[in-house]
Amino acid sequence: EILDATAEFYGADVYELDSSERLVISGTPAVLDIVASTGQSLSEGEAQFSAGPPAQAFGELSVGSQWHHGDLATSTMWNQSASTSGIVVAVIDTGVNATTELSGRLVPGYDFVDNDSDPSEVSAEPYEQCDDQSCWTVYPAYGHGTFIAHEISGIKGNNEGGWGVCESCKIMPVRVLGPYGTGSMGTVVAGIDWAVANGADVINLSLGSYYPDATTLAAVNNAVANGVVVVAAAGNSGARFDQYPSYPAAYDSVLSVVRC
């Protein structure tokens, strides 16, 4: 479960083969190094890791290989691209980089970590952290916000990458998390309020806290009262969300996305 969550956090694809004891993880070399390092630290020598031969991407992925579009019936959204091109989705996250996949999709945003108008992601190096019993490596979350933006609005038909669910929607990048994917809910609240004040139609929060607080609840309720749809990830506990709720996903006014 930890390897699965780590791989998906960094944008890799995870597949089970033969049994739950074997995973195939497809991602960039940097991500695979992170996953292998995490696995080695957990396995106590029992797990085996093997790298397959290098593969080369050949242009844009086919819609058939992007299975989630079938599950979500996103072709309906693509057919309405003329009416969705004015929708602004605020990605409140680690920041969003201006990539080819987001060409013409980005609107002005804000960086509440560095308090400036450049909400691009900030890179960092892994570092070692220790407690009284063990040490572990803390990895940066670089790419997380950009990956989320691609999932929402990656351009369809540009012969690169994948297709966004609402590929004609605009992205409003709001950086509230530091280079290691951490921050305070107070900063998240500031990002929510800013997105509402600056015309977001949808707010995406692929983040959360295990602790509810009145300030965050008031912010999301205010957003909804102003006609903004608030979407939040329920974390990686899947069907156990009722036992391990994440906030703001657990608030009644929020559309929660549960990983099953």
Side-chain angles (χ1 to χ4, degrees):
E1 289 182 357
I2 293 176
L3 286 180
D4 191 337
T6 300
E8 293 196 6
F9 178 83
Y10 286 100
D13 293 319
V14 181
Y15 309 90
E16 287 193 9
L17 294 182
D18 300 335
S19 73
S20 59
E21 296 180 353
R22 179 180 294 185
L23 292 177
V24 171
I25 299 174
S26 175
T28 65
V31 170
L32 295 180
D33 285 343
I34 291 172
V35 174
S37 177
T38 302
Q40 294 287 6
S41 67
L42 296 171
S43 66
E44 297 180 347
E46 296 177 3
Q48 294 182 348
F49 298 86
S50 60
Q56 180 179 350
F58 296 100
E60 190 167 54
L61 298 173
S62 68
V63 67
S65 67
Q66 300 172 68
W67 57 267
H68 59 287
H69 290 310
D71 288 356
L72 298 172
T74 49
S75 59
T76 302
M77 184 75 74
W78 294 335
N79 292 335
Q80 299 175 7
S81 60
S83 61
T84 59
S85 60
I87 294 177
V88 177
V89 181
V91 176
I92 299 180
D93 212 288
T94 58
V96 176
N97 294 329
T99 65
T100 304
E101 281 287 82
L102 298 174
S103 178
R105 301 293 188 264
L106 296 179
V107 302
Y110 196 79
D111 182 343
F112 283 91
V113 179
D114 293 332
N115 294 314
D116 59 39
S117 58
D118 180 8
S120 301
E121 300 205 52
V122 175
S123 61
E125 295 295 326
Y127 69 91
E128 190 173 76
Q129 185 170 324
C130 301
D131 58 21
D132 294 336
Q133 298 180 330
S134 61
C135 293
W136 60 94
T137 302
V138 178
Y139 292 98
Y142 188 82
H144 186 265
T146 303
F147 168 75
I148 297 299
H150 283 183
E151 287 291 289
I152 296 169
S153 191
I155 296 174
K156 177 169 68 72
N158 67 343
N159 202 37
E160 181 174 325
W163 301 359
V165 173
C166 182
E167 63 96 20
S168 63
C169 288
K170 300 297 189 293
I171 297 293
M172 175 188 289
V174 181
R175 183 173 179 247
V176 298
L177 300 179
Y180 297 94
T182 57
S184 74
M185 289 306 295
T187 308
V188 173
V189 166
I192 293 172
D193 290 344
W194 190 92
V196 173
N198 285 273
D201 300 296
V202 180
I203 289 175
N204 184 88
L205 297 154
S206 295
L207 51 80
S209 169
Y210 292 118
Y211 306 99
D213 69 277
T215 305
T216 305
L217 176 59
V220 297
N221 284 345
N222 175 67
V224 172
N226 280 276
V228 180
V229 177
V230 181
V231 183
N236 292 320
S237 58
R240 297 173 296 173
F241 182 55
D242 58 335
Q243 302 174 45
Y244 307 102
S246 176
Y247 300 90
Y251 295 134
D252 290 341
S253 55
V254 175
L255 177 60
S256 303
V257 180
V258 179
R259 174 177 173 268
C260 298

